[in-house]
Amino acid sequence: SGLPFKSIMELPYDNFRIYPASGKNLYLLGKNPANNLSELYLLEPGRAEGEKASISKLFDIDKEITAVAGNGQETYAAMRNKVVKISDKKLTPFFTLGDEAVKDLAFSSQAGLFYATDSSVGFASVKNKSLNVFLQAPRSRIRLRNNSLYVYLEDANAVIKISRINLFDQAPSR
């Protein structure tokens, strides 16, 4: 009788990347072939069985977006060494690193925004916009689950868990 998979929605074009938002929501990031703009969407699956999914475009830009994180209400996007906050289809600069590109982002409503570059993992306070590198970790990837940050260390082929991340935004900035 077939697999228990079903399409919840048709997308406007091919080649989207998918990022977690809060709950069942997801971010979809694509490059529109018609105008060559990077486009970021919020996908909200139906809440009840049989309810249709909805998709809304958060913004588009003529720059490459390297990472996305947020909870659906607060959204952050990385464009090389810059991270912006997106609300009401407007971009507000959040932080800029030196020459190093942001490769990965992870957001917690309780803690704030974590980021990874080719050399380190850091924390960006949403409260006071301070930046703190707390782990020298080349080519790492980051993911949040509950109150923990998981860091994949490519060079060591290992994963570490950093617990109680809600305390990051309570620590004094350096």
Side-chain angles (χ1 to χ4, degrees):
S1 74
L3 296 174
F5 302 123
K6 65 178 182 175
S7 173
I8 61 169
M9 153 172 293
E10 228 174 277
L11 298 175
Y13 48 86
D14 295 339
N15 296 319
F16 278 87
R17 286 185 282 161
I18 192 167
Y19 295 90
S22 65
K24 294 180 179 180
N25 298 339
L26 299 166
Y27 291 110
L28 297 172
L29 176 62
K31 188 119 184 168
N32 188 329
N35 57 20
N36 212 28
L37 294 178
S38 293
E39 297 181 335
L40 181 63
Y41 294 86
L42 180 66
L43 172 68
E44 298 177 87
R47 297 192 200 305
E49 187 65 35
E51 190 176 288
K52 284 197 168 274
S54 67
I55 187 171
S56 53
K57 188 195 290 189
L58 299 179
F59 82 109
D60 56 31
I61 194 164
D62 63 352
K63 294 177 170 53
E64 180 189 5
I65 299 170
T66 55
V68 176
N71 60 13
Q73 288 78 43
E74 283 185 78
T75 302
Y76 298 87
M79 291 170 269
R80 293 209 29 80
N81 64 335
K82 294 177 176 46
V83 172
V84 296
K85 183 176 180 179
I86 303 152
S87 59
D88 299 325
K89 299 190 180 200
K90 293 185 179 75
L91 307 183
T92 306
F94 186 60
F95 71 82
T96 301
L97 297 178
D99 293 333
E100 204 164 17
V102 174
K103 302 289 187 171
D104 210 358
L105 291 172
F107 177 75
S108 161
S109 298
Q110 292 81 31
L113 188 66
F114 294 86
Y115 64 92
T117 68
D118 274 339
S119 67
S120 62
V121 176
F123 172 73
S125 171
V126 174
K127 289 180 186 172
N128 62 29
K129 295 190 179 180
S130 63
L131 296 178
N132 291 300
V133 172
F134 62 88
L135 184 63
Q136 295 298 324
R139 292 181 304 286
S140 53
R141 302 290 290 176
I142 55 176
R143 290 293 176 265
L144 286 172
R145 287 291 173 265
N146 300 319
N147 197 24
S148 298
L149 178 71
Y150 293 85
V151 182
Y152 169 61
L153 306 169
E154 184 178 311
D155 288 358
N157 197 29
V159 175
I160 61 171
K161 178 182 177 184
I162 301 167
S163 299
R164 298 174 57 194
I165 60 165
N166 61 308
L167 299 177
F168 270 81
D169 214 19
Q170 297 170 14
S173 60
R174 290 184 255 166

